[in-house]
């Protein structure tokens, strides 16, 4: 094993530093890729694993004004090294989050929900079917008239995604639901499929289908009530992607943010020529780099997500909590196929 637990001295607190006690940190697929050496961000070794989590501020340096002891913080960027009990970090590496949201929501906030929010907001302007109060994603709808007018409203836009049971997938379902956007969710067939379908429907999924169903004529039934998607979200690659693309509207966009199948994205030439689909990519780490000077857009995203969490419209993904000393079991479990539960280290 490349990993072991180590006791280190807590470094001295500098004027702009913050001493935090980590509370909980998940194991994400990207963390495994970092360990395997296949991720574009590789920290110099020896390194502390983990890029996400939540901690509590214990002490702040004398120049720190934005944080105080007792505040909850999450990493402002990837590569913080969150699998630890204590840490001293420069204040700009941390973002304050409200401490009145559930611990597991805060621990899993900075990667998956942010990715879900951005891929839904940044590539297509999706119109809701029924405008919901306080929509998460700014709706492309005029203000409602004061006099009720009866019209038959269009069904609103839809999104199709694979790996719908992933952390990002679960967040997409909930944010889309809060924004009045329909979701078609693709999962792999598995022994406990009915249970998974039930769980995703409870989160607000409109349709849940298997990879096999994507190729079948019964997809037509879905499109009787739900418009063809303008946006496809791909974190698998391979066959799954090609099948999803077939259901995309002309001029629609497919955004790839992961490659769980480790296979390339294959696109039929006809999809480009006759349907003019757009293929884009998204990496949350890059988005944060690009918006480092634009704290407004970071703050408004975090604000919206925390409001959804408070309203019960966005929950943490299914989690298994594991004490830090059992990190080996947690790492192994996070690499097993069909585990629909995120391993969270309790620190």
């Amino acid at each position: 094993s490349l990993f072991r637990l180590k006791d280190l001295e807590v470094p001295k607190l500098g004027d702009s530093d913050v001493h935090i006690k980590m509370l909980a940190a998940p194991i994400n697929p990207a963390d495994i890729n970092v360990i395997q050496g296949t991720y574009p961000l590789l920290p110099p070794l020896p390194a502390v694993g983990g890029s996400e989590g939540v901690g509590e501020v214990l002490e702040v340096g004398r120049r720190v004004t934005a944080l105080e002891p007792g505040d909850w913080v999450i990493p402002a960027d990837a590569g913080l090294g969150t699998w630890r009990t204590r840490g001293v970090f420069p204040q700009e590496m941390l973002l304050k989050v409200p401490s009145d949201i559930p611990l597991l929501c805060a621990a899993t906030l900075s990667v998956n929900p942010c990715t879900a929010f951005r891929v839904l907001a940044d590539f297509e302007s999706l119109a809701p079917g029924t405008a919901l109060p306080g929509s998460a994603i700014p709706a492309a709808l005029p203000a409602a008239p004061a006099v009720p007018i009866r019209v038959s409203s269009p069904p609103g836009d839809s999104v199709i995604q694979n790996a719908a049971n992933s952390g990002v997938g679960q967040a997409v379902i909930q944010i889309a639901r809060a924004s009045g956007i329909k979701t078609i969710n693709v999962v792999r067939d598995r022994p406990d499929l009915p249970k998974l379908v039930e769980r995703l429907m409870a989160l607000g999924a409109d349709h849940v289908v298997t990879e096999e169903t994507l190729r079948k004529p019964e997809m037509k039934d879905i499109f009787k009530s739900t418009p063809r998607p303008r946006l496809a979200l791909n974190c698998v690659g391979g066959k799954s992607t090609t099948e999803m693309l077939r259901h995309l509207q002309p001029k629609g966009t497919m955004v790839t943010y992961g490659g769980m199948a480790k296979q390339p994205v294959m696109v039929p030439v006809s999809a480009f020529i006759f349907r003019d689909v757009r293929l884009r990519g998204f990496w949350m780490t890059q988005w944060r780099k690009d918006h480092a000077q634009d704290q407004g857009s970071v703050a408004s995203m975090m604000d919206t997500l925390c409001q959804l969490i408070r309203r019960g419209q966005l929950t943490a993904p299914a989690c298994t909590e594991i004490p830090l000393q059992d990190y080996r079991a947690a790492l192994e479990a996070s690499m097993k196929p069909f585990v629909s539960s995120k391993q969270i280290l309790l620190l």
Side-chain angles (χ1 to χ4, degrees), residues 132-145:
L132 297 177
S135 286
I137 295 157
L141 281 187

Side-chain angles (χ1 to χ4, degrees), residues 142-149:
V147 185
I149 304 168

Side-chain angles (χ1 to χ4, degrees), residues 188-199 338 340:
R188 285 183 297 174
D189 200 1
R190 62 194 64 217
D192 60 346
L193 184 66
K195 216 154 92 199
L196 176 62
V197 171
E198 197 182 315
R199 216 179 77 219
F338 300 129
S340 294

Side-chain angles (χ1 to χ4, degrees), residues 7-32:
D7 288 325
L8 303 174
E9 287 283 301
V10 175
K12 205 168 138 302
L13 190 72
D15 287 350
S16 306
D17 288 344
V18 180
H19 179 189
I20 66 172
K21 168 174 127 144
M22 286 303 297
L23 301 172
I27 298 176
N28 288 321
D31 298 322
I32 302 292

Side-chain angles (χ1 to χ4, degrees), residues 68-335:
E68 53 185 55
D71 284 347
W72 276 13
V73 288
I74 63 174
D77 214 339
L80 192 70
T82 52
W83 301 346
R84 63 171 89 218
T85 53
R86 298 278 174 103
V88 172
F89 303 104
Q91 63 174 337
E92 64 272 10
M93 290 176 78
L94 303 168
L95 280 181
K96 181 177 168 175
V97 291
S99 52
D100 63 348
I101 62 174
L103 180 73
L104 295 181
C105 287
T108 54
L109 182 59
S110 65
V111 178
N112 295 338
C114 290
T115 299
F117 184 90
R118 297 263 58 107
V119 294
L120 284 171
D122 294 353
F123 295 91
E124 287 280 348
S125 58
L126 301 169
T130 44
L132 297 177
S135 286
I137 295 157
L141 281 187
V147 185
I149 304 168
R150 298 187 73 168
V151 291
S152 76
S153 66
D157 282 322
S158 79
V159 174
I160 189 167
Q161 63 165 347
N162 55 22
N165 58 314
S166 67
V168 173
Q170 292 177 56
V172 162
I173 290 171
Q174 295 173 85
I175 296 168
R177 164 51 63 98
S179 313
I181 293 154
K182 289 201 148 92
T183 57
I184 300 161
N185 300 281
V186 185
V187 296
R188 285 183 297 174
D189 200 1
R190 62 194 64 217
D192 60 346
L193 184 66
K195 216 154 92 199
L196 176 62
V197 171
E198 197 182 315
R199 216 179 77 219
L200 297 182
M201 297 298 272
L203 288 180
D206 294 284
H207 306 279
V208 182
V209 297
T210 62
E211 302 265 353
E212 290 70 37
T213 311
L214 270 186
R215 295 178 206 120
K216 297 203 171 131
E218 62 227 54
M219 286 300 288
K220 287 200 181 76
D221 296 339
I222 287 179
F223 299 127
K224 283 176 189 158
S225 62
T226 302
R228 283 187 177 270
R230 296 208 0 227
L231 180 66
L233 305 174
N234 165 48
C235 84
V236 178
K239 218 183 211 153
S240 167
T241 315
T242 315
E243 299 296 345
M244 267 203 319
L245 264 179
R246 286 182 24 204
H247 301 296
L248 203 57
Q249 273 189 37
K251 291 190 170 13
T253 304
M254 183 173 78
V255 182
T256 292
Y257 67 90
M260 301 301 277
K262 297 188 167 58
Q263 288 163 356
V265 168
M266 308 287 268
V267 182
V269 169
S270 60
F272 277 130
I273 300 175
F274 304 120
R275 300 199 2 260
D276 191 16
V277 298
R278 272 176 292 216
L279 299 194
R280 300 286 306 272
F282 181 78
W283 187 29
M284 194 64 218
T285 302
Q286 188 63 46
W287 187 91
R288 289 191 195 283
K289 271 199 191 72
D290 296 345
H291 293 79
Q293 301 314 310
D294 171 16
Q295 280 314 300
S297 62
V298 177
S300 83
M301 168 174 71
M302 299 314 282
D303 218 45
T304 302
L305 292 172
C306 289
Q307 278 176 31
L308 288 175
I309 290 168
R310 282 201 199 90
R311 289 194 205 126
Q313 291 177 305
L314 178 62
T315 55
C319 291
T320 306
E321 301 172 45
I322 301 210
L324 180 61
Q325 58 268 28
D326 299 338
Y327 69 93
R328 280 209 172 95
L331 282 170
E332 271 165 34
S334 70
M335 289 160 69

